[in-house]
Amino acid sequence: MKTLGKWLLLGLVVMSMPARAALDIVITEGVDAARPIAVIPFVWQGQGPAPQQISDVVMSDLARSGTFNPLDELGLPQRNIAKVSQFVAKEWSNVAAEAVVMGSVKPMGPDQFLVNFELVDLVKAQMQSGNGPQSSSEYLIDSSEVVISAEQFRQYGHRISDIVYEKLTGIRGAFLTRIAYVVVKHGEKSPYHLMISDYDGHNEKMLLRSPEPLMSPSWSPDGSKLAYVSFENKKAEVFVQNIYTQARAKITSYDGINGAPVFSPDGKKLALTLSRDGQPEIYVVDIDTKALKRVTNHYAIDTEASWFPDGKSLIFTSERGGRPQIYKVTLASGKVQRMTFEGEWNLGGSISPDGRSMIFVNRTNGKFNIARMDLETRFMQVLTSTRLDESPSVAPNGTMVIYGTTYQGKQVLAAVSTDGRFKARLPAGQGEVKSPSWSPFL
Amino acid sequence: MDLNKLFKAMLVAIPMMAISACSSTSDSETDATSSNSSSGSELTTGGVETGGVAPVLTPQEQQRLKYQELRKEHIIYFDFDRSSVSAQFAEVLQAHGEYLIEHPNVRVMIEGHADERGTPEYNIALGERRAKAVAKYLQGMGVLPSQMSIVSYGEEKPLDMSRTDDGFAVNRRAVLVY
C-alpha cells in the first residue's frame, strides 16, 4: 500500500512536469527518507489560461533534490491562497509537512508578470494555532516579489527552489545550474554531440556536433566556458569553448594523448593529460600563454587530474602501484601520496566543493560503482548499485553526484545523493548519453 | 576488417561441433549442414561440372598470397586491462610487417581501443598503450617508426555495443588502418 502511494505520488510529480525535458528523471530510491513539504500551485491572477506554472518547477526541483518530498497538491487543505495572510493554520493541523510554499502570478503588461512567493513555517504555525489567533507574519520564513518575462519562468522557479532549500536545510541550493554531457547517436553522419542543459535536462542546447569523438567536458569556474577533448582532426586535441559566444580556442595538440582537461579554481589554467613524452603524464597548461608545467613523472599511466578547491594540489589516477588508484600531488613540492587502498581499482576522482570528501569510481569484485571517501577518516562508502558507472561529477553544493551508467544496454545519466540515500535515473531520449559535468553556481 | 579473429575461430569451432554432434546424437540443426556437404557430389541433376588444378606457385609466391590473405585481418585483440600482443596474432602482424618493410612509402595508422569498463579517460591511456604495443612489435620487425602513427580512441568507438563480456572482448583491440 505504501509502495502504491509512492508510485501514485511519483506519477503525479512526473505528470505535472512539462514534457519538454530532454532528460526526464525517474527517482529509483529515497522518497521515503525525504522530508514532506507542501507546495500550493501558484495562483494565476490574469485573464485566460495561465502561462507555465512556476510552482511545478519548484515541486520537481524539491523532489529531485532528494531532500524533500512534495505532497500531492490535491490533498492540501487550502489550495487557492497566495499570501500568508490568507493562510488558516487550523485547517493545516493534520498536514505532516514542515513548510508551505505559495505564491501568485499577475500580468503587468506585455510579457511582464509580477511573481510573488512566500515560504511558511508549518510546524511553527501548527504549534501556535493552539494558543489562539496569532499574527500570521510570525510564520513567514521568507518572501519575495519580482517582475519577470514568460521566458524567465523556469529560471525564477529554480531561484525560488534555491531559497526554499537554503532556508530549510542551511545548504545553498544548486537548482540554478547547468550540466554538460556528450550524446552519441551511432549511425548518424556526425554522431558525437556536446550538449548543455539546465541541471534538470530542460533547455537542452547543442554546443558542438562532430563526426569524431568528443570527450571529457569540464566547466570553467564562472560557468561561461567548457574545456573538452575533440578528435575532429583525427587526433585528440583540447579545446576551450565559450558557451555564450561560441568562440573556440585550441589549447593543446601535442603528439599522443591530449586529454582529461579540468579548469583550475582561478580559471586561468587547465590540468590535463599529455603523452608527448612517451607515457600519459599530468601537466598544467596556462590557458593564455599555453606554457606547460609537467606535474607527474612516472613510466606508468597517470591521468584524470582534478583540483583541490584551494588550487594547490591535484588528485589523479595512476597505475604506478600496479593497478589504477588515486593519488594526490602537491604542486609546489611535487610530493605524491596515495589516497585509495580499498577495492581493486579506484579512479576518476574529484574533490567535493568543501574539500572534505572525494568522489570516484570504485571497482570491487569486477563491478564499477561510484564511491565517496571522507578525506579525514578515510572511510569509503560505495554509493551506487547501477552497472558500469563512470564519470562522476559533484553538484556545486556538494549534495548530489551526476554520473554515467548503463541501463538496459544503453549509456544513460543517473544521480545519487552524496549520502547514498537518493537515487535517480535520467533516461535519454535518443542515443547514448555520457560524460556528465555539473556546472558551478550560475 | 569485419571478419575478425573471433568469428574466424567460431567458423572453425562450429563445424567441429557439428561433426562431434553427428557422431554422438543427431537431432540438432547441425545435421543439415553435414548431410548437405556429404550428398553434394552425388547429385544427379544432368548439369555439367568442371574441374581444375591450382597454379604452380613458387614458395615466395605462396608466402605472398598467404600474407595478402592475412593482411585482410586488421584487428589485434587484447585481454582485459592488458596491452601485450598475444602470440595468436604473430602471423597477422608478420604479414603487415613484411608488407610495410617492402613498401617503405606506405604509412599505417594504429588505432587503440578499450572496452567500456573503467573511466573514459583511463581507457584512452589504455588504448594508447595497446596501439604502442603493436607499433613496437612492428618496429621490432624492422618497420620504420616514420611509417607508423598512433591514435587512441579509448572506449569511444566500440565495435560491439552489447556491453556483454563477448562485446567487451571485441572492443579491446588495436586496428591497423592504411
Side-chain angles (χ1 to χ4, degrees), chain A residues 170-321:
Chain A
I171 301 165
R172 187 170 173 189
F175 304 109
L176 207 56
T177 52
R178 291 192 170 104
I179 50 171
Y181 47 95
V182 174
V183 175
V184 186
K185 295 176 180 170
H186 292 287
E188 284 190 5
K189 218 173 167 184
S190 277
Y192 301 93
H193 301 67
L194 176 61
M195 313 294 294
I196 54 168
S197 72
D198 293 350
Y199 96 97
D200 58 2
H202 281 262
N203 293 320
E204 188 181 49
K205 297 272 180 327
M206 189 187 68
L207 292 186
L208 190 68
R209 182 166 61 200
S210 173
E212 295 297 330
L214 299 170
M215 291 180 71
S216 315
S218 158
W219 291 90
S220 64
D222 65 356
S224 72
K225 295 183 218 74
L226 280 172
Y228 57 86
V229 176
S230 171
F231 286 78
E232 63 199 67
N233 297 316
K234 296 275 182 183
K235 60 179 301 233
E237 295 172 310
V238 170
F239 289 83
V240 167
Q241 182 169 335
N242 187 303
I243 67 166
Y244 308 120
T245 67
Q246 302 183 28
R248 298 174 81 206
K250 193 188 286 183
I251 307 299
T252 68
S253 176
Y254 293 98
D255 279 348
I257 295 170
N258 295 258
V262 271
F263 277 94
S264 59
D266 66 5
K268 292 178 181 159
K269 287 168 277 188
L270 292 175
L272 44 68
T273 304
L274 302 174
S275 63
R276 62 199 283 262
D277 294 329
Q279 60 289 319
E281 302 284 0
I282 306 296
Y283 287 78
V284 172
V285 60
D286 184 294
I287 293 172
D288 285 338
T289 67
K290 312 282 192 292
L292 280 185
K293 181 177 176 271
R294 183 162 165 175
V295 177
T296 61
N297 191 349
H298 197 279
Y299 58 84
I301 290 172
D302 291 330
T303 186
E304 302 183 315
S306 183
W307 297 81
F308 271 83
D310 65 5
K312 289 177 181 163
S313 324
L314 299 172
I315 52 169
F316 63 101
T317 303
S318 178
E319 260 197 329
R320 58 188 63 198

Side-chain angles (χ1 to χ4, degrees), chain A residues 186 192 212-213 215-216 231 234 256-257 260 275 278 280 301 304 319 324 345 347 361 363 368 387-388 390-391 406 409-411 432 434, chain B residues 80-82 109 116-126 128-129 132 150-158 161-165 168:
Chain A
H186 292 287
Y192 301 93
E212 295 297 330
M215 291 180 71
S216 315
F231 286 78
K234 296 275 182 183
I257 295 170
S275 63
I301 290 172
E304 302 183 315
E319 260 197 329
W345 290 14
L347 65 170
V361 177
R363 177 182 167 222
F368 292 88
R387 185 164 183 256
L388 291 173
E390 60 183 26
S391 309
T406 303
K410 243 174 90 169
Q411 283 180 302
E432 314 257 342
K434 56 194 291 186
Chain B
F80 176 57
D81 199 34
R82 289 282 170 274
M109 166 77 88
E116 297 95 316
R117 290 175 286 183
T119 60
E121 289 75 18
Y122 173 70
N123 281 329
I124 283 287
L126 203 51
E128 183 180 74
R129 204 153 67 181
K132 278 190 171 166
I150 277 172
V151 65
S152 172
Y153 289 113
E155 61 173 87
E156 307 304 312
K157 288 188 167 188
M161 271 167 294
S162 65
R163 287 164 188 116
T164 58
D165 284 348
F168 291 148

Side-chain angles (χ1 to χ4, degrees), chain B residues 2-103:
Chain B
D2 46 349
L3 249 193
N4 60 55
K5 257 287 191 266
L6 200 76
F7 287 164
K8 275 189 178 168
M10 281 166 67
L11 285 179
V12 177
I14 289 166
M16 273 168 65
M17 276 154 60
I19 290 161
S20 61
C22 278
S23 58
S24 51
T25 59
S26 51
D27 52 357
S28 66
E29 77 277 4
T30 50
D31 258 353
T33 46
S34 55
S35 60
N36 254 359
S37 56
S38 60
S39 62
S41 58
E42 288 168 29
L43 278 175
T44 50
T45 54
V48 292
E49 283 181 33
T50 58
V53 294
V56 178
L57 296 173
T58 63
Q60 285 85 351
E61 282 170 328
Q62 276 177 6
Q63 180 82 328
R64 186 166 297 136
L65 273 181
K66 186 184 161 198
Y67 279 176
Q68 204 177 325
E69 200 55 37
L70 278 168
R71 278 206 315 280
K72 290 181 182 163
E73 186 56 67
H74 287 249
I75 309 183
I76 315 297
Y77 296 96
F78 294 85
D79 288 339
F80 176 57
D81 199 34
R82 289 282 170 274
S83 51
S84 46
V85 177
S86 143
Q88 68 180 115
F89 298 102
E91 269 202 318
V92 173
L93 286 174
Q94 184 77 22
H96 284 281
E98 297 284 346
Y99 177 77
L100 287 163
I101 292 163
E102 274 176 42
H103 302 87

Side-chain angles (χ1 to χ4, degrees), chain A residues 112-222:
Chain A
Q112 292 288 296
F113 302 89
L114 176 73
V115 180
N116 166 72
F117 138 78
E118 301 197 346
L119 175 64
V120 174
D121 186 337
L122 184 56
V123 175
K124 197 171 179 185
Q126 285 168 337
M127 274 166 39
Q128 293 184 352
S129 70
N131 308 337
Q134 304 277 318
S135 161
S136 56
S137 61
E138 280 203 24
Y139 321 141
L140 193 65
I141 300 173
D142 205 338
S143 68
S144 72
E145 211 170 55
V146 289
V147 176
I148 56 172
S149 67
E151 203 184 43
Q152 292 170 299
F153 270 35
R154 286 201 71 83
Q155 192 185 325
Y156 192 63
H158 293 316
R159 209 171 275 289
I160 291 171
S161 305
D162 277 344
I163 296 168
V164 172
Y165 190 87
E166 183 160 2
K167 288 289 172 189
L168 299 181
T169 67
I171 301 165
R172 187 170 173 189
F175 304 109
L176 207 56
T177 52
R178 291 192 170 104
I179 50 171
Y181 47 95
V182 174
V183 175
V184 186
K185 295 176 180 170
H186 292 287
E188 284 190 5
K189 218 173 167 184
S190 277
Y192 301 93
H193 301 67
L194 176 61
M195 313 294 294
I196 54 168
S197 72
D198 293 350
Y199 96 97
D200 58 2
H202 281 262
N203 293 320
E204 188 181 49
K205 297 272 180 327
M206 189 187 68
L207 292 186
L208 190 68
R209 182 166 61 200
S210 173
E212 295 297 330
L214 299 170
M215 291 180 71
S216 315
S218 158
W219 291 90
S220 64
D222 65 356

